[in-house]
Amino acid sequence: MACYSSIRTISSTSPFSNPPPRAAAISVPKLPIRISLPKFPTSSANQTRHLTFQVQPLSETIRVTEHVIPTTTPEAAVTTTSPVAAELYYAVLESIADRIEMHGNVAVQRDNWNSLLLSSINMSILAATTMAAVSPSVSADHSLPLALGSTILFAAATGLLAIMNTIQPSQLAEEQRNAARLFRQLHSKLNGPGKAQPTKAQVEDAVEKVLAIDRAYPLPLLGKMIPKFPTKFQPAVWWPRTESPKRRRSAKGRNSNNGWSEELEAEMREVSGALKSKDKEDYEKLGSLMLKINKTLAVSGPVLSGVATAASAMGLVNGSNNGWAAAVAVAAGAMATAVNTLEHGGQIGMVVEMYRNCAGFFNQLEESIDSTLGESGFEERENGEVFAMKVGLALGRSPAEVRELAGKCAYSREEGTPLEEFTSKLF
């Protein structure tokens, strides 16, 4: 009679929880011995299976016990989230939304400062100029009030103009517009896919980015205002300059190179070099030039209105007999109005801030490319195709145009000729 074995399963539970031990009872005859073990379901990667064999005499029962013990890998521990981390993350998002509203409102307010102060100062100077021009042609009794009124208006306009040139309202408004745009960009990035269960590291990174923008574009004027006339033009910096931990991304389901190749690395290096030698350098030169022009206009306006004030005050002494003082007051007042209109009507301060922001943008893009290429392993980088697409969109180019640009950069570098084309097509 053929040998056989009967298997009776004592218990059966899912391996993905902590079940009671699973036992299988095997009854066999004395000779020959044939043991059939049941097939256990495959456990997950984060679980460890321990099998305990209890062997008794052949007449007895052989018991096989299975214990499924879940374990946690170090990588899983790093990405573990908690309700506190989620609450902190959404608190950061709320503060960003509030900052967007604040900076937008302040930008409108400071733009109104520019237009209202410009109109008020110019009207005061023009009125004082008219009074100074009329005072020599009237009698001494009537010239004194005209000279006094002209002097007061010139003095008030000079003081207001000095304050306006110091704070540069058009530049302040542009700073707040840039801050609101950067906070909207950050809010959209933090609300992107994969952020439903944030970790503590993501919360810390978000806080660093928020504080970096706060430092780059402060709201208060007293004590924290960005210097409007620095000795050297410097690009804006609104991102954390401290080295952050490397971004480790899983390469499962992707090619081993994570979308990167030697050709793509070479293209990104050429683009980074062109950003540094062409776009950023060009905007730094333009920013330095506009900063010098703004300094000259900011000093010339109050000086001219001050001269007009002094000349108008001379009319109080000599009355209608001081025609040359009236002529100086009229000429200086007219020139002060023209300089003031050119500086604040043309918003030279806003142009300086625009160049500062553009140079900072190219600086950030260059640092982003260099830091990504500096990561040794492909799996530690952002996917190559995604990164190349982001760089191309930041420059207003398609991936094919970025490859063409990299080829032109390599050719001009080998030939020793300057690159004729700018990397960015946006600005």
Side-chain angles (χ1 to χ4, degrees):
M1 185 175 181
C3 295
Y4 66 94
S5 63
S6 62
I7 303 173
R8 186 160 51 94
T9 303
I10 302 304
S11 63
S12 174
T13 57
S14 172
F16 297 96
S17 60
N18 291 330
R22 176 181 298 172
I26 306 173
S27 301
V28 297
K30 292 183 178 181
L31 288 173
I33 298 176
R34 177 194 247 173
I35 300 176
S36 299
L37 296 179
K39 295 182 178 179
F40 297 101
T42 305
S43 63
S44 64
N46 293 332
Q47 292 177 331
T48 305
R49 188 181 303 278
H50 295 272
L51 300 179
T52 304
F53 290 84
Q54 299 177 352
V55 182
Q56 297 176 354
L58 293 177
S59 59
E60 300 291 333
T61 303
I62 299 178
R63 292 184 176 275
V64 181
T65 352
E66 176 193 10
H67 300 278
V68 180
I69 303 175
T71 60
T72 305
T73 61
E75 294 181 358
V78 172
T79 59
T80 300
T81 185
S82 65
V84 177
E87 187 175 354
L88 291 173
Y89 193 79
Y90 289 111
V92 174
L93 289 178
E94 289 178 1
S95 68
I96 293 175
D98 185 55
R99 280 169 167 80
I100 293 172
E101 185 72 18
M102 284 193 301
H103 284 279
N105 293 338
V106 172
V108 174
Q109 177 198 48
R110 292 176 178 177
D111 190 52
N112 288 336
W113 286 1
N114 186 69
S115 58
L116 294 175
L117 285 174
L118 174 63
S119 301
S120 300
I121 293 172
N122 279 352
M123 290 302 297
S124 298
I125 294 177
L126 290 176
T129 302
T130 304
M131 295 167 69
V134 173
S135 61
S137 60
V138 298
S139 61
D141 295 337
H142 295 87
S143 65
L144 182 62
L146 291 175
L148 179 61
S150 176
T151 303
I152 293 174
L153 286 176
F154 274 131
T158 302
L160 289 175
L161 188 55
I163 296 174
M164 187 178 184
N165 289 352
T166 301
I167 65 175
Q168 294 290 313
S170 64
Q171 186 170 348
L172 290 174
E174 181 67 13
E175 290 174 7
Q176 305 313 313
R177 284 191 289 264
N178 288 331
R181 177 181 60 84
L182 292 172
F183 275 123
R184 282 193 295 267
Q185 184 181 27
L186 180 60
H187 190 274
S188 176
K189 185 181 297 184
L190 296 180
N191 251 339
K195 300 298 189 300
Q197 295 181 339
T199 63
K200 185 177 180 181
Q202 290 176 332
V203 173
E204 294 175 353
D205 183 64
V207 171
E208 288 181 3
K209 291 179 179 178
V210 170
L211 296 180
I213 300 177
D214 285 341
R215 289 190 297 268
Y217 301 101
L219 277 171
L221 294 179
L222 300 177
K224 293 186 177 180
M225 184 179 68
I226 299 175
K228 298 300 178 286
F229 304 103
T231 55
K232 183 180 179 182
F233 178 83
Q234 295 288 346
V237 178
W238 60 82
W239 60 95
R241 303 305 297 266
T242 57
E243 185 177 359
S244 58
K246 293 183 178 180
R247 305 180 301 274
R248 295 186 178 273
R249 296 172 171 82
S250 174
K252 294 180 180 180
R254 302 176 180 175
N255 298 329
S256 59
N257 59 1
N258 195 22
W260 287 91
S261 63
E262 294 183 358
E263 292 78 8
L264 182 58
E265 285 189 344
E267 291 172 2
M268 292 296 103
R269 287 193 177 91
E270 293 294 343
V271 171
S272 176
L275 284 171
K276 182 177 181 180
S277 61
K278 188 69 175 177
D279 295 73
K280 188 175 74 171
E281 183 179 349
D282 185 71
Y283 273 96
E284 287 180 353
K285 290 180 180 178
L286 289 174
S288 299
L289 176 62
M290 295 305 298
L291 181 61
K292 293 177 181 178
I293 294 175
N294 197 30
K295 284 181 181 180
T296 304
L297 294 177
V299 173
S300 301
V303 167
L304 289 171
S305 60
V307 170
T309 303
S312 180
M314 295 296 296
L316 296 175
V317 179
N318 299 327
S320 59
N321 297 325
N322 201 351
W324 64 269
V328 171
V330 170
M335 292 176 65
T337 303
V339 170
N340 191 30
T341 302
L342 177 62
E343 180 183 7
H344 299 289
Q347 299 190 356
I348 306 299
M350 183 272 292
V351 176
V352 173
E353 178 60 27
M354 181 184 68
Y355 286 152
R356 196 175 77 94
N357 184 74
C358 290
F361 167 78
F362 292 122
N363 193 16
Q364 183 196 32
L365 189 58
E366 178 195 352
E367 287 187 10
S368 175
I369 295 173
D370 293 342
S371 62
T372 300
L373 296 179
E375 295 176 351
S376 56
F378 289 142
E379 70 279 359
E380 297 176 352
R381 303 178 182 177
E382 186 176 1
N383 181 270
E385 296 179 2
V386 176
F387 183 76
M389 176 66 74
K390 288 182 178 179
V391 172
L393 291 176
L395 299 175
R397 295 176 178 269
S398 65
E401 290 176 333
V402 172
R403 288 192 293 269
E404 181 182 357
L405 173 65
K408 293 179 180 179
C409 295
Y411 177 79
S412 62
R413 180 172 51 80
E414 292 174 357
E415 296 294 328
T417 57
L419 182 66
E420 298 180 356
E421 184 178 359
F422 289 96
T423 59
S424 176
K425 288 187 174 182
L426 293 178
F427 45 82

